[in-house]
Every structure is written in C-alpha cells, then in structure tokens.
Amino acid sequence: MQSSSSNSPLESLRPVLNLLADGEVHSGESLGAALGVSRAAVWKQLQKLERYGLALESVKGRGYRLPGGLNLLSGEAIGTALDPAARELLRELILCDEVDSTNGQLLLRMEEGCGHGVAMFAERQTAGRGRRGRTWVSPFSGGINLSIGWQFNGGVQLLEGLSLAVGVALARALAEFEVPDIRLKWPNDVWCRERKLAGVLLELSGDLTDRCAVVVGIGLNVGLRGDSAAAIDQPWIDLQSVRAGIDRNRLAASMLNHLLPLLRDYPECGFGAYREAWLALDQFAGRPVRLQSANQAWTGTAVGVDMSGALILEADGEHKLFHGGEVSLREAP
Ligand code: ATP
Ligand code: BTN
C-alpha cells in the first residue's frame, strides 16, 4: 500500500497545527522558536488558522491554544489499524488537508484509470458534494470525509442497493466504537437520535453496461462547531455529542476494514447479504412517511426494503416500490 499526502494552501500551516494539536497553551515565543520564525510570522499563521474556521483561543499573558486540541488524520496511524484483508485491498491511501471534493478528485483518477483501490481522506472540503447538487458541509477536522474508488466488471446493475450496504458497513464500524442509537435512512443516510450523522454519495463513471467504476463517498460528522454547521439546513448530529473521545484514525481504519471487503464481494453477494442487517437498523420502519420526487409526492407507511434495496411503501393496502435516488424520504407530518 502506498501512502501519500497532497499539497494544499493549508500545507504551510501544518507545522503550527501539529504543535497546537495537543490543545495546550503555547506562547508566541515558543511557537516561533519551534517553527524557526519570528513572532510576527507566527501571528500571521494563527490568523490564517482562524480563517479556516479553527477556534483559536488567546490566553491572556500566556499564549494560544486550540480548545479540545485536534485529532489529525495520519497515514501511519490509519495504516497500523488496518486489518490484513483491508491492507491487501487498499492500493493507495491519500490524505489531504484540503480539496474541493474527495469524490470529484477520485472520479478524475478513475477516468485516468488509476483510481481502483484508492482511498482519499480530506480534513476539509471546499465543495463537498451531497446528492443532486447539494452541499456537504465539511470544515477542517470536523469529520471524516472519505472516498474510495472501485472498478467493476459486469455493469451497473451489479451495484443495486450498494449505497444501503455501505450504510450497513458504516453502522458496523460505528458499533466497534459503541456508538449508540445508530439507524439507517433510505437510501443513503446514517442517522443517530433522529438526526443525520453521515451521508453516502455514490458516483459512477465508465461504461455502465460493462466495465464501470464507482466512487463511494462518505461524510461522517465527528465534531462540528456550531458556526461551521450553521449552513446545514436539516437536523444533524456529530459523534462528539453521543460518544466523545473516538480516535478519528482508528475510526477511519475501521471504515476501510468494513468497506473494502464489501466492495470486493458486492458483485457476487449483492444487497441480499446486507438486507437483514439493514432492516434491523431501519430508521423509518413502520412509520408514516412522505416521498417526494421533482414533481410528485406519495404518502404511506415505510415497510422496509426488498432484495434490491428498493423502498417499500404501503398505502391503501398496496405496496409500491421506489428505486434509487431521485426521491426524498421524510417522516410524514
Ligand atoms: P434525501 O435527498 O434522501 O431527502 P437529504 O436531505 O439528506 O436526503 P442529501 O443530498 O442526501 O439530502 O444530503 C445533502 C444534505 O445533507 C444537505 O442538503 C444538507 O441538508 C445536509 N448536510 C450537509 N452537510 C451535512 C453535515 N455535515 N451533516 C449533516 N447533514 C449535512
Ligand atoms: C449525502 O448525504 O448527500 C451524501 C454526502 C456525502 C458526502 C461525502 S464527503 C466525502 C465525499 N466527497 C464529497 O464531495 N462527497 C462525499
């Protein structure tokens, strides 16, 4: 497995971030000495950190600190926590401080033929993507933003239900850290305590009838600050408020431990292998819901998913199936 980190405007701030990551107070003088720059240069760097949304605190007469510290992603720490199967499947691990979108970057790699088995994490995304052109809010070190590229032979129908299966894999990873109250919302969300904790975005490229590629994108909130989360227009939650102290590197590795074998096996086993697990975590099982497409709405009771991952809506004694992603599911008012 190859491991690398990529260039970004934040790269020049890495040394000061690494010093402040411990959450302790550091004087301007000690920072300057450790970085080999003047106090004025330190001050400039600290101002930039604030522009990236990091809550730097100035402690009168003593210096500066990042309250709570930072648990930065590290290729070495992730690599150490990978299990042997994942290590074998992972061709390249890329860590970025900042990119527009890890999905966008991996799609480019897939088109260049060098994205298979590549996992990319970003501390911050400037244009994180949700479904249908929506935005995924991903402030620096506030979550885990991960994309994995995978090449399949045999056409896109083999991937039916994959976004739901990815949800099951994420729930399994979170269970290893004893995160309580995890549920799955059809088709692509992980919820916790009635709020959105994570989202899954699958993007495809290549020949959809034969050799095609999928980029599996996952955004998971670990610790979002209120000001950066203000742009989220629906109820959200982060891990910090339900199970504090989870190590992001171990969680990142656990996600890969569950996701890489899933991608390897999915063309053979399909959603059938995950359906029971998905149903056991169904956020809306037996609840009244409303489904909304661009120009139509349906109401009824959500009664699970079929073997392909299609949502089953019960209304007027009949079952109606909804496939894939062009409809939005909400609890009925
Ligand atoms: P659906 O389309 O199924 O109704 P949805 O409303 O969750 O689902 P998605 O496109 O799946 O929509 O996800 C994007 C949405 O997620 C955004 O419009 C925003 O409301 C929300 N969102 C963005 N960033 C975050 C975040 N960090 N945490 C939780 N939710 C977020
Ligand atoms: C959703 O709920 O709509 C899906 C959100 C997916 C967000 C992740 S973050 C990593 C990857 N890169 C992106 O630009 N989006 C996905």
Side-chain angles (χ1 to χ4, degrees):
M1 175 193 71
Q2 215 180 310
S3 175
S4 61
S5 45
S6 82
N7 294 338
S8 88
L10 266 165
E11 198 179 70
S12 61
L13 300 174
R14 256 290 164 160
V16 72
L17 272 176
N18 288 337
L19 292 169
L20 291 166
D22 62 7
E24 302 294 327
V25 179
H26 294 262
S27 68
E29 201 175 8
S30 69
L31 289 172
L35 298 168
V37 298
S38 69
R39 281 181 70 169
V42 169
W43 175 234
K44 268 196 195 154
Q45 295 194 14
L46 296 179
Q47 279 178 314
K48 280 194 195 154
L49 289 185
E50 285 184 318
R51 259 184 266 141
Y52 282 109
L54 288 161
L56 190 71
E57 192 180 279
S58 157
V59 184
K60 211 167 173 214
R62 294 182 55 212
Y64 310 91
R65 70 180 189 119
L66 281 172
L70 283 176
N71 177 205
L72 295 169
L73 291 177
S74 134
E76 201 186 328
I78 295 174
T80 308
L82 286 178
D83 62 27
R87 200 167 295 139
E88 200 173 303
L89 293 165
L90 185 63
R91 290 210 180 149
E92 193 182 346
L93 176 63
I94 305 173
L95 299 189
C96 309
D97 277 342
E98 180 182 88
V99 286
D100 48 1
S101 152
T102 54
N103 263 34
Q105 292 296 321
L106 263 192
L107 275 172
L108 289 175
R109 282 185 165 240
M110 295 306 305
E111 278 152 26
E112 288 160 5
C114 57
H116 178 74
V118 176
M120 177 184 274
F121 291 91
E123 291 286 8
R124 176 177 193 251
Q125 294 182 114
T126 53
R129 319 214 273 235
R131 295 200 305 153
R132 284 173 277 158
R134 287 185 289 221
T135 302
W136 184 256
V137 172
S138 18
F140 191 84
S141 87
I144 293 183
N145 307 301
L146 162 66
S147 296
I148 305 175
W150 206 261
Q151 192 86 51
F152 287 91
N153 290 318
V156 75
Q157 76 278 359
L158 289 175
L159 305 184
E160 218 172 31
L162 179 60
S163 74
L164 285 79
V166 167
V168 171
L170 294 177
R172 289 177 176 161
L174 292 165
E176 284 180 14
F177 297 86
E178 296 173 3
V179 179
D181 305 325
I182 291 297
R183 297 282 178 274
L184 299 175
K185 173 185 172 265
W186 185 89
N188 68 322
D189 288 0
V190 179
W191 276 32
C192 180
R193 300 184 179 163
E194 309 281 324
R195 296 174 218 194
K196 183 159 172 169
L197 174 70
V200 176
L201 176 67
L202 302 188
E203 296 192 80
L204 297 163
S205 79
D207 177 355
L208 302 188
T209 63
D210 184 17
R211 192 169 159 74
C212 63
V214 64
V215 171
V216 177
I218 294 152
L220 169 74
N221 298 327
V222 178
L224 289 188
R225 284 177 50 211
D227 48 355
S228 40
I232 307 177
D233 56 4
Q234 62 173 299
W236 60 271
I237 194 164
D238 57 17
L239 286 180
Q240 180 178 270
S241 48
V242 280
R243 170 83 58 218
I246 294 178
D247 178 65
R248 281 166 84 228
N249 288 299
R250 285 186 48 232
L251 177 57
S254 168
M255 287 162 68
L256 293 175
N257 288 341
H258 287 277
L259 288 164
L260 288 162
L262 178 157
L263 289 169
R264 176 195 59 200
D265 299 338
Y266 205 77
E268 262 93 67
C269 70
F271 181 64
Y274 294 88
R275 181 169 171 263
E276 284 306 316
W278 197 93
L279 291 172
L281 295 168
D282 185 355
Q283 167 74 31
F284 285 121
R287 281 166 64 169
V289 295
R290 179 184 161 87
L291 280 156
Q292 179 82 52
S293 75
N295 45 24
Q296 220 183 329
W298 300 262
T299 52
T301 304
V303 291
V305 293
D306 74 1
M307 289 301 279
S308 70
L311 180 84
I312 310 169
L313 184 76
E314 190 178 270
D316 304 324
E318 283 184 12
H319 281 178
K320 188 168 172 46
L321 293 180
F322 290 85
H323 295 270
E326 291 313 304
V327 282
S328 272
L329 172 67
R330 293 284 183 273
E331 178 138 48

